[in-house]
Amino acid sequence: MSYQKILVGIDGSKQSEMAFSKAVDIAKQNDAALYLLSVINGERYPTTSPSGFGFVDKSIYDSAIQEMNKRLAENKQKAEDAGVKEVHTDVEIGNAKVELAEKYPKDNQIDLIVIGATGLNAIGRLIVGSTAAYTVRIAPCDVTVVKTDLENKKLDIKESSYPEI
């Protein structure tokens, strides 16, 4: 069995960069398409639309979307330079767990999700939960949780290493 469509969540953290590096290798080994997804947390609110939900004016997310599109473009170039033939990038607004584990994989027939292990401390995981743990439980496909660098050595990362956007 080989993977054809590989999704990696990119949030700018060291953990997601480790996951990206390993996803590039897996995509090359399988001659697979690589999907780079960044999810900007956005709150839905009830509306009268057919879906029943909408977003606050999306323009409030413009700077974050631009920043993540720039980051994804850089990662896309790195993946192509490394030999991945097909790379897709998307920035979504919504709940990161739901978008990464459920909606995006189903909409794009993803057969492997590569995700970085959480950088939150134990209290943070209790309060918000781990995106990686949620993805492992809910995803409709295989999930690889990355905890090491390309040499399989654990990186010395602060408990929370997420970028300012």
Side-chain angles (χ1 to χ4, degrees):
M1 148 129 199
S2 67
Y3 296 108
Q4 300 304 306
K5 294 183 174 185
I6 300 168
L7 170 63
V8 61
I10 304 288
D11 64 6
S13 67
K14 290 180 183 177
Q15 295 90 328
S16 76
E17 290 303 315
M18 291 179 350
F20 166 74
S21 296
K22 289 204 175 181
V24 166
D25 280 354
I26 296 167
K28 287 188 325 189
Q29 291 168 9
N30 289 272
D31 196 27
L34 183 62
Y35 291 75
L36 309 177
L37 175 65
S38 179
V39 181
I40 297 168
N41 282 321
E43 296 300 321
R44 293 181 181 262
Y45 63 92
T47 69
T48 57
S49 75
S51 69
F53 288 91
F55 287 99
V56 179
D57 182 5
K58 286 187 178 184
S59 67
I60 65 171
Y61 301 111
D62 285 349
S63 64
I65 291 169
Q66 288 173 354
E67 176 63 31
M68 291 316 295
N69 275 324
K70 179 181 170 194
R71 190 177 304 255
L72 292 179
E74 291 168 0
N75 282 357
K76 178 179 181 177
Q77 188 62 54
K78 288 178 190 175
E80 290 172 342
D81 291 347
V84 179
K85 296 175 188 153
E86 185 179 345
V87 183
H88 304 268
T89 64
D90 283 299
V91 176
E92 299 286 342
I93 300 170
N95 180 298
K97 292 177 183 180
V98 172
E99 295 293 331
L100 187 66
E102 299 177 63
K103 186 179 180 315
Y104 197 90
K106 288 177 185 171
D107 290 349
N108 294 280
Q109 296 81 44
I110 300 297
D111 52 15
L112 175 66
I113 300 171
V114 180
I115 187 170
T118 183
L120 294 174
N121 60 31
I123 301 294
R125 281 192 301 273
L126 284 173
I127 295 169
V128 297
S130 163
T131 300
Y134 182 86
T135 302
V136 168
R137 279 193 321 274
I138 301 300
C141 60
D142 289 347
V143 178
T144 297
V145 179
V146 176
K147 298 172 89 173
T148 61
D149 64 15
L150 288 175
E151 287 80 39
N152 291 324
K153 294 180 182 163
K154 186 172 181 181
L155 287 186
D156 183 23
I157 316 174
K158 293 179 193 174
E159 284 296 311
S160 181
S161 63
Y162 295 93
E164 298 287 326
I165 295 182

